[in-house]
Amino acid sequence: MESALNRPQHPASQYPAGANIRRVLAFAAHPDDIDFGAAGTVAAWTAAGVEVSYCVMTSGDAGGFEPGDRSSVSELRRSEQRAAADIVGVSDLHFLGEKDGFLAVTPEVVEKTVALIRRIRPDVVLSMHPERNWDRIQASHPDHLACGEIVTRAVYPAAENPFAFPHLAEQGLQAYKVPWLWFYGAPRERENHAVDVSATVDKKLAAIRIHASQHPDQAGMETAVRGMLQDNARRFGLGGGASAETFHAVGVNTDRTIAGF
């Protein structure tokens, strides 16, 4: 199980062992973001009995390529995300409904994010990265960056500060210290952790294919994704022919962190 879920490139104690991950909350800006960034890892987690929840922050209403009536785009994209999540074993989905292309770091969205973190109380929060990736700017849509900043602010300090959004505590959502924050879509210089997804790459690709409204060239998309996963594995020294998803893993409240610093 350890080899399938966590292949750290640093001392093993730096990252949570698979057995120590019971709940994961994954955030994305748009439907399909999680599937491109982490669906292989998610599939491995759920196969091991981990409870995974998704939160998609925007409606995806600016996606796709069809002109004309756009009124049904949001519901189409939500249905695609539900079907894709089902493939990798996720049934708990949340949609914040923010406008696609205009996701902003506001107190209101941070509060919604804090509330969900406190409700689910995950061992790992998974998010898009808040830093721009200049090597592949397509990974750094402004909504992606906003998602990363919102989640980072929510994880620390808001979720664990009992005096932040005090009305949430009145609703029974008590302060919670997130152990780990994992970012996907990180700039390469930030990546410090790879997960071998060789056993789940087909599920990942099946989940991505569900988002047909966004990817008219399915064959080209699949070739590109397979190539990126294999390149990830080579960069992190995994065996020949392996596929890997990569992350910037940040310990927030672990045995290596000190509260208040």
PDB file of all heavy atoms in Angstrom, residues 48-65:
ATOM      1  N   ALA A  48      -8.107   2.229  -1.408  1.00  0.00           N
ATOM      2  CA  ALA A  48      -7.567   1.857  -0.103  1.00  0.00           C
ATOM      3  C   ALA A  48      -8.521   2.187   1.039  1.00  0.00           C
ATOM      4  O   ALA A  48      -8.171   2.027   2.210  1.00  0.00           O
ATOM      5  CB  ALA A  48      -6.229   2.569   0.124  1.00  0.00           C
ATOM      6  N   GLY A  49      -9.719   2.673   0.716  1.00  0.00           N
ATOM      7  CA  GLY A  49     -10.707   2.960   1.738  1.00  0.00           C
ATOM      8  C   GLY A  49     -10.720   4.384   2.245  1.00  0.00           C
ATOM      9  O   GLY A  49     -11.428   4.696   3.210  1.00  0.00           O
ATOM     10  N   VAL A  50      -9.949   5.271   1.612  1.00  0.00           N
ATOM     11  CA  VAL A  50      -9.925   6.677   2.019  1.00  0.00           C
ATOM     12  C   VAL A  50     -11.196   7.370   1.528  1.00  0.00           C
ATOM     13  O   VAL A  50     -11.643   7.148   0.397  1.00  0.00           O
ATOM     14  CB  VAL A  50      -8.672   7.387   1.450  1.00  0.00           C
ATOM     15  CG1 VAL A  50      -8.677   8.870   1.808  1.00  0.00           C
ATOM     16  CG2 VAL A  50      -7.408   6.707   1.952  1.00  0.00           C
ATOM     17  N   GLU A  51     -11.793   8.211   2.378  1.00  0.00           N
ATOM     18  CA  GLU A  51     -12.954   9.000   1.996  1.00  0.00           C
ATOM     19  C   GLU A  51     -12.469  10.285   1.327  1.00  0.00           C
ATOM     20  O   GLU A  51     -11.756  11.072   1.953  1.00  0.00           O
ATOM     21  CB  GLU A  51     -13.802   9.339   3.219  1.00  0.00           C
ATOM     22  CG  GLU A  51     -14.365   8.125   3.934  1.00  0.00           C
ATOM     23  CD  GLU A  51     -15.109   8.513   5.196  1.00  0.00           C
ATOM     24  OE1 GLU A  51     -15.387   9.723   5.382  1.00  0.00           O
ATOM     25  OE2 GLU A  51     -15.405   7.615   6.007  1.00  0.00           O
ATOM     26  N   VAL A  52     -12.848  10.494   0.090  1.00  0.00           N
ATOM     27  CA  VAL A  52     -12.425  11.682  -0.659  1.00  0.00           C
ATOM     28  C   VAL A  52     -13.651  12.502  -1.036  1.00  0.00           C
ATOM     29  O   VAL A  52     -14.646  11.961  -1.531  1.00  0.00           O
ATOM     30  CB  VAL A  52     -11.632  11.296  -1.920  1.00  0.00           C
ATOM     31  CG1 VAL A  52     -11.213  12.548  -2.689  1.00  0.00           C
ATOM     32  CG2 VAL A  52     -10.409  10.462  -1.561  1.00  0.00           C
ATOM     33  N   SER A  53     -13.575  13.792  -0.786  1.00  0.00           N
ATOM     34  CA  SER A  53     -14.621  14.736  -1.179  1.00  0.00           C
ATOM     35  C   SER A  53     -14.040  15.735  -2.164  1.00  0.00           C
ATOM     36  O   SER A  53     -12.863  16.087  -2.079  1.00  0.00           O
ATOM     37  CB  SER A  53     -15.160  15.489   0.042  1.00  0.00           C
ATOM     38  OG  SER A  53     -15.698  14.599   0.996  1.00  0.00           O
ATOM     39  N   TYR A  54     -14.884  16.206  -3.083  1.00  0.00           N
ATOM     40  CA  TYR A  54     -14.487  17.223  -4.043  1.00  0.00           C
ATOM     41  C   TYR A  54     -15.237  18.519  -3.757  1.00  0.00           C
ATOM     42  O   TYR A  54     -16.427  18.500  -3.405  1.00  0.00           O
ATOM     43  CB  TYR A  54     -14.846  16.812  -5.478  1.00  0.00           C
ATOM     44  CG  TYR A  54     -13.962  15.776  -6.127  1.00  0.00           C
ATOM     45  CD1 TYR A  54     -14.270  15.321  -7.419  1.00  0.00           C
ATOM     46  CD2 TYR A  54     -12.841  15.245  -5.501  1.00  0.00           C
ATOM     47  CE1 TYR A  54     -13.490  14.378  -8.054  1.00  0.00           C
ATOM     48  CE2 TYR A  54     -12.056  14.292  -6.131  1.00  0.00           C
ATOM     49  CZ  TYR A  54     -12.384  13.858  -7.406  1.00  0.00           C
ATOM     50  OH  TYR A  54     -11.604  12.914  -8.034  1.00  0.00           O
ATOM     51  N   CYS A  55     -14.566  19.652  -3.977  1.00  0.00           N
ATOM     52  CA  CYS A  55     -15.220  20.960  -3.992  1.00  0.00           C
ATOM     53  C   CYS A  55     -14.758  21.705  -5.233  1.00  0.00           C
ATOM     54  O   CYS A  55     -13.567  22.012  -5.366  1.00  0.00           O
ATOM     55  CB  CYS A  55     -14.896  21.758  -2.736  1.00  0.00           C
ATOM     56  SG  CYS A  55     -15.646  23.412  -2.756  1.00  0.00           S
ATOM     57  N   VAL A  56     -15.683  21.987  -6.134  1.00  0.00           N
ATOM     58  CA  VAL A  56     -15.400  22.742  -7.352  1.00  0.00           C
ATOM     59  C   VAL A  56     -15.917  24.158  -7.148  1.00  0.00           C
ATOM     60  O   VAL A  56     -17.095  24.374  -6.861  1.00  0.00           O
ATOM     61  CB  VAL A  56     -16.056  22.091  -8.578  1.00  0.00           C
ATOM     62  CG1 VAL A  56     -15.736  22.887  -9.843  1.00  0.00           C
ATOM     63  CG2 VAL A  56     -15.589  20.645  -8.723  1.00  0.00           C
ATOM     64  N   MET A  57     -15.042  25.141  -7.286  1.00  0.00           N
ATOM     65  CA  MET A  57     -15.379  26.503  -6.872  1.00  0.00           C
ATOM     66  C   MET A  57     -16.206  27.282  -7.884  1.00  0.00           C
ATOM     67  O   MET A  57     -17.023  28.118  -7.506  1.00  0.00           O
ATOM     68  CB  MET A  57     -14.107  27.265  -6.527  1.00  0.00           C
ATOM     69  CG  MET A  57     -13.437  26.735  -5.259  1.00  0.00           C
ATOM     70  SD  MET A  57     -12.057  27.765  -4.745  1.00  0.00           S
ATOM     71  CE  MET A  57     -11.830  27.166  -3.059  1.00  0.00           C
ATOM     72  N   THR A  58     -15.990  27.064  -9.184  1.00  0.00           N
ATOM     73  CA  THR A  58     -16.781  27.799 -10.178  1.00  0.00           C
ATOM     74  C   THR A  58     -17.734  26.856 -10.893  1.00  0.00           C
ATOM     75  O   THR A  58     -17.624  25.630 -10.808  1.00  0.00           O
ATOM     76  CB  THR A  58     -15.899  28.502 -11.228  1.00  0.00           C
ATOM     77  OG1 THR A  58     -15.467  27.543 -12.214  1.00  0.00           O
ATOM     78  CG2 THR A  58     -14.697  29.180 -10.591  1.00  0.00           C
ATOM     79  N   SER A  59     -18.657  27.461 -11.635  1.00  0.00           N
ATOM     80  CA  SER A  59     -19.652  26.685 -12.370  1.00  0.00           C
ATOM     81  C   SER A  59     -19.129  26.169 -13.706  1.00  0.00           C
ATOM     82  O   SER A  59     -19.828  25.406 -14.375  1.00  0.00           O
ATOM     83  CB  SER A  59     -20.901  27.539 -12.612  1.00  0.00           C
ATOM     84  OG  SER A  59     -21.523  27.867 -11.391  1.00  0.00           O
ATOM     85  N   GLY A  60     -17.942  26.626 -14.112  1.00  0.00           N
ATOM     86  CA  GLY A  60     -17.421  26.201 -15.408  1.00  0.00           C
ATOM     87  C   GLY A  60     -18.215  26.757 -16.573  1.00  0.00           C
ATOM     88  O   GLY A  60     -18.158  26.223 -17.686  1.00  0.00           O
ATOM     89  N   ASP A  61     -18.937  27.863 -16.324  1.00  0.00           N
ATOM     90  CA  ASP A  61     -19.857  28.376 -17.330  1.00  0.00           C
ATOM     91  C   ASP A  61     -19.169  29.012 -18.530  1.00  0.00           C
ATOM     92  O   ASP A  61     -19.798  29.253 -19.555  1.00  0.00           O
ATOM     93  CB  ASP A  61     -20.811  29.386 -16.701  1.00  0.00           C
ATOM     94  CG  ASP A  61     -20.086  30.451 -15.883  1.00  0.00           C
ATOM     95  OD1 ASP A  61     -19.600  30.129 -14.787  1.00  0.00           O
ATOM     96  OD2 ASP A  61     -20.003  31.597 -16.348  1.00  0.00           O
ATOM     97  N   ALA A  62     -17.857  29.291 -18.431  1.00  0.00           N
ATOM     98  CA  ALA A  62     -17.132  29.872 -19.573  1.00  0.00           C
ATOM     99  C   ALA A  62     -16.368  28.814 -20.350  1.00  0.00           C
ATOM    100  O   ALA A  62     -15.591  29.148 -21.253  1.00  0.00           O
ATOM    101  CB  ALA A  62     -16.172  30.960 -19.094  1.00  0.00           C
ATOM    102  N   GLY A  63     -16.580  27.549 -20.023  1.00  0.00           N
ATOM    103  CA  GLY A  63     -15.855  26.478 -20.700  1.00  0.00           C
ATOM    104  C   GLY A  63     -16.547  26.007 -21.964  1.00  0.00           C
ATOM    105  O   GLY A  63     -17.660  26.414 -22.292  1.00  0.00           O
ATOM    106  N   GLY A  64     -15.864  25.120 -22.676  1.00  0.00           N
ATOM    107  CA  GLY A  64     -16.427  24.554 -23.895  1.00  0.00           C
ATOM    108  C   GLY A  64     -16.158  25.403 -25.116  1.00  0.00           C
ATOM    109  O   GLY A  64     -15.480  26.432 -25.055  1.00  0.00           O
ATOM    110  N   PHE A  65     -16.737  24.959 -26.233  1.00  0.00           N
ATOM    111  CA  PHE A  65     -16.431  25.599 -27.511  1.00  0.00           C
ATOM    112  C   PHE A  65     -17.671  25.936 -28.323  1.00  0.00           C
ATOM    113  O   PHE A  65     -17.571  26.538 -29.386  1.00  0.00           O
ATOM    114  CB  PHE A  65     -15.530  24.674 -28.345  1.00  0.00           C
ATOM    115  CG  PHE A  65     -14.265  24.289 -27.626  1.00  0.00           C
ATOM    116  CD1 PHE A  65     -14.198  23.116 -26.903  1.00  0.00           C
ATOM    117  CD2 PHE A  65     -13.154  25.118 -27.656  1.00  0.00           C
ATOM    118  CE1 PHE A  65     -13.032  22.754 -26.220  1.00  0.00           C
ATOM    119  CE2 PHE A  65     -11.993  24.776 -26.977  1.00  0.00           C
ATOM    120  CZ  PHE A  65     -11.934  23.594 -26.263  1.00  0.00           C
TER     121      PHE A  65
END
